[in-house]
Amino acid sequence: MNLRVSPLVSDIIISIYVIVSLYLRFKLENQRPISTLNSMVIGVCFVAILWVLIKLKILNPNWFGLFKEKNKKK
C-alpha cells in the first residue's frame, strides 16, 4: 500500500502539526516543572515524527511554494 498525500495537503498537515505540538509543549511545561533536557527530548521526538513521514514519502511538502524546484535534465 502506497500512501501519499498531495503537496498542499502535506503543507497544511505539517503546519497544523507544528502548531498543535508547540501548544502541547507549552501547556505541559507550564503545568508541570520539566527540566530542559526533557523539553528538548520531547521537541526532538515531535520533529522526528515529521522527518520519518517525509522520508517515507507519506508527506510531500511543497513548503507553500517558497522554494523553486530544480529542473531535471532528461
Side-chain angles (χ1 to χ4, degrees):
M1 184 172 134
N2 193 3
L3 179 65
R4 287 185 165 215
V5 181
S6 69
L8 181 61
V9 175
S10 292
D11 290 340
I12 293 169
I13 289 172
I14 291 171
S15 298
I16 291 171
Y17 179 81
V18 167
I19 292 168
V20 169
S21 66
L22 283 174
Y23 172 76
L24 290 175
R25 281 185 65 199
F26 288 141
K27 186 175 180 181
L28 178 67
E29 290 175 10
N30 282 335
Q31 288 179 351
R32 300 174 190 228
I34 296 178
S35 69
T36 305
L37 182 62
N38 286 340
S39 177
M40 288 174 38
V41 168
I42 292 170
V44 168
C45 290
F46 279 133
V47 171
I49 292 170
L50 272 180
W51 180 77
V52 167
L53 290 174
I54 291 171
K55 283 297 178 183
L56 291 174
K57 304 232 183 236
I58 294 174
L59 293 177
N60 302 303
N62 188 18
W63 309 112
F64 294 105
L66 294 176
F67 301 110
K68 294 181 182 178
E69 293 183 19
K70 295 180 182 178
N71 292 334
K72 294 181 181 180
K73 293 182 181 179
K74 291 183 181 181

